[in-house]
Amino acid sequence: MRHARIHGVGGYRPERVVTNEEILQFIDSSDEWIRQRSGIATRRWAREDETVIDMAEAASRQAMERAGVSPDQIGVVIMATVSHPFQTPAAAPQLAHRMGIPSPAAFDISAACAGYCHAVSLANDMVRVGTADYVLVVGVEKLSDFTDKHDRGSAFIFGDGAGAAVIGVSDFPGIGPTLWGSLGDQAEVITQRESWIDLRPTMEDADRTEAVQWPAFVMQGQTVFRWAVFSMAPVALDTVKAAGITPDDLDAFVPHQANMRITDAMIKALKLPEHVPVARDIAETGNTSAASIPLAMSRMLDEGEAPHGGLALQIGFGAGLVYAAQVVVMP
C-alpha cells in the first residue's frame, strides 16, 4: 500500500466583486444584518459567459504548476460541483481535454459543500492502491446561476469560484482518515426549489402567459445553522482524533466557508489554540460550496497565513445533508 499527499493547490476567484449593497437592491434587509448573520461583506460572481469549466481550468493550471506535475502524469480527474448546468456530459472530461490530459478517468461528483473533501478521500484511496499516480481534484461552483436574488434567506450567501489540488504518490502518509456521512431524511433543508421534471409540463405549455420560475437553490437557514453547530463540531474533533493528533498539533483549520458564526462555534468546540490560523474567506468570497476549502487553503498558503508542510483540518458540510472531513499535510 502506497502513501498519498497533496502536492499542490490552486484557486481562482472571478473578477467581479458583489457588495451587500448590490444584493440589497432585491431583498428587504441591511448590510448590518447580513454581516451579523453570516459574516459576509462581499462575494465574487463569474461573468455571464464564464463557466465552471473555465474557472476549474484556471485553478487546475495553478495547482499543477505548483505541484510540478505534467498533464500526462494525471490519471484521474474528479470535479466536485452542483452548478454545472448540464446533467450530461460531465464537466470533468471537458476540463481534462482543455488541460491536455490524455485519456484519464474523469467524472463529476455531487456532494455539495462537502464535495471537495469527498473527492480528496477518493483520490487518496486511488493513489494508495495504485489506480493512479496523480489525481486532479477540483471543487468549483457558479452558484450565481442558481441563486434567487429575491429570496431573503439565500440571496446574500452564495458566490462563485474554483479550487484545485493535485494528489499523488508520497513517501509519507499525507492524508488522514476521512470521517463522512449523510442524513438523507433532511434533504429538504437545502435543496433545488423544483425538479426539472416538475417544470417540464409548464415549459411545454404553449398557452402559458406567465414566466416559469427558475428552480433556484433554497435553504432553511436556522435548521442548517443548528445542524452545523451541534453536529459538525463533534465530527471535526473526531477527525483530529482519528488522525492521531490533538488540536494543539494543527497548523491550520480550513472549514467550509458557510457562515462565520458556524466557524466560531467549531473553534470553541475544538478548543482550538489561538496560534492556529483559521480560514475566514467567507467575508470576501461568500459561500462557494465545493470550492471553498481549496480556495481558502490556497490563499492561506500564498499569504503565509498557514505554513507549507503543516497539518490542516478541513471539513465540508452541506446539502444532502452530507459531510466529510480529514486532516491533511499542506503542500
Side-chain angles (χ1 to χ4, degrees):
M1 186 75 77
R2 305 189 298 181
H3 299 305
R5 66 181 174 93
I6 300 174
H7 288 262
V9 293
Y12 173 77
R13 292 172 174 81
E15 293 182 2
R16 182 185 173 194
V17 176
V18 178
T19 64
N20 287 341
E21 285 71 22
E22 183 173 344
I23 300 296
L24 292 171
Q25 297 177 37
F26 305 99
I27 59 173
D28 180 16
S29 187
S30 69
D31 176 67
E32 180 182 11
W33 186 88
I34 293 174
R35 289 173 185 259
Q36 288 180 347
R37 300 283 291 188
S38 67
I40 299 173
T42 61
R43 71 284 294 148
R44 299 291 186 98
W45 282 2
R47 300 187 313 273
E48 186 174 340
D49 64 343
E50 197 169 25
T51 69
V52 294
I53 300 173
D54 295 330
M55 293 188 287
E57 180 182 1
S60 297
R61 291 194 182 282
Q62 189 177 74
M64 289 175 61
E65 179 180 352
R66 291 174 173 177
V69 172
S70 61
D72 60 347
Q73 292 177 276
I74 300 292
V76 181
V77 177
I78 307 174
M79 183 180 290
T81 185
V82 294
S83 51
H84 179 49
F86 294 90
Q87 289 189 257
T88 194
Q94 298 173 69
L95 171 64
H97 174 69
R98 286 199 191 181
M99 300 295 295
I101 301 172
S103 302
F107 56 92
D108 296 355
I109 64 171
S110 176
C113 307
Y116 174 75
C117 290
H118 277 69
V120 167
S121 184
L122 294 175
N124 177 52
D125 293 346
M126 289 177 176
V127 171
R128 292 182 66 200
V129 302
T131 301
D133 289 335
Y134 293 95
V135 178
L136 175 62
V137 170
V138 184
V140 57
E141 304 289 5
K142 190 180 180 184
L143 295 173
S144 58
D145 278 347
F146 294 90
T147 297
D148 181 352
K149 62 183 179 181
H150 299 286
D151 179 22
R152 189 175 185 271
S154 63
F156 62 92
I157 294 175
F158 299 118
D160 303 335
V166 174
I167 294 174
V169 179
S170 169
D171 55 4
F172 62 88
I175 299 173
T178 297
L179 273 66
W180 49 5
S182 63
L183 298 169
D185 61 329
Q186 300 294 310
E188 77 284 351
V189 173
I190 310 174
T191 185
Q192 182 174 308
R193 182 179 283 147
E194 292 182 84
S195 78
W196 300 112
I197 299 300
D198 292 339
L199 283 177
R200 184 170 182 173
T202 304
M203 297 175 70
E204 292 182 342
D205 181 4
D207 297 326
R208 73 178 188 273
T209 57
E210 297 180 359
V212 177
Q213 186 179 35
W214 181 247
F217 297 158
V218 292
M219 63 187 293
Q220 300 173 20
Q222 286 300 316
T223 302
V224 173
F225 179 83
R226 288 193 296 269
W227 169 67
V229 168
F230 294 110
S231 298
M232 292 302 98
V235 171
L237 185 57
D238 288 344
T239 302
V240 171
K241 292 178 180 178
I245 63 173
T246 70
D248 288 345
D249 298 316
L250 291 171
D251 297 295
F253 178 37
V254 193
H256 163 51
Q257 301 299 290
N259 184 295
M260 199 77 78
R261 293 189 298 157
I262 293 175
T263 297
D264 289 338
M266 286 188 173
I267 292 171
K268 184 177 180 180
L270 285 166
K271 297 180 180 178
L272 201 66
E274 291 186 3
H275 71 267
V276 178
V278 179
R280 296 183 179 276
D281 294 53
I282 190 171
E284 297 180 349
T285 63
N287 180 339
T288 55
S289 187
S292 75
I293 292 173
L295 259 180
M297 182 175 289
S298 177
R299 181 200 59 76
M300 293 177 81
L301 290 171
D302 289 348
E303 296 180 1
E305 186 178 344
H308 290 277
L311 290 174
L313 167 63
Q314 56 186 32
I315 179 170
F317 46 88
L321 294 167
V322 298
Y323 61 90
Q326 61 262 130
V327 172
V328 302
V329 176
M330 293 179 286

